[in-house]
Amino acid sequence: MKFSDLKDMTLVELSAKSRDLRHEQFQLRLQQASAQLEKPARLRTLRKDIARVETRISALSNQTKKTAK
């Protein structure tokens, strides 16, 4: 996922995407603990995707705070 894909999403869509990514990360961590994880690199890319989504959420919330003043 690229940051440019996130620019068109609304705050609600981003929150849902974040929740889905965190759920997937949780499932992969369970698989890793039971030694059934097939693609360990997916954990790293998932962590980066979560950071991108959270960064965009933060930027949108800061933008709305500035316009509200």
Side-chain angles (χ1 to χ4, degrees):
M1 171 186 316
K2 293 188 177 188
F3 193 74
S4 59
D5 299 337
L6 302 175
K7 286 190 176 186
D8 298 330
M9 297 178 100
T10 65
L11 193 58
V12 175
E13 292 172 334
L14 288 169
S15 296
K17 185 74 168 172
S18 175
R19 184 181 61 244
D20 293 341
L21 290 173
R22 288 181 188 278
H23 180 72
E24 184 181 349
Q25 183 184 31
F26 175 73
Q27 295 298 325
L28 289 178
R29 275 194 258 138
L30 286 177
Q31 288 179 10
Q32 185 181 29
S34 62
Q36 296 176 351
L37 185 61
E38 294 179 12
K39 297 180 182 179
R42 178 69 181 138
L43 280 170
R44 183 176 184 185
T45 58
L46 205 55
R47 225 177 28 245
K48 289 181 178 184
D49 288 344
I50 291 170
R52 286 185 188 106
V53 170
E54 293 297 324
T55 300
R56 183 62 182 153
I57 289 172
S58 176
L60 282 177
S61 64
N62 286 341
Q63 185 179 20
T64 57
K65 286 179 185 176
K66 286 183 181 179
T67 59
K69 286 184 178 180

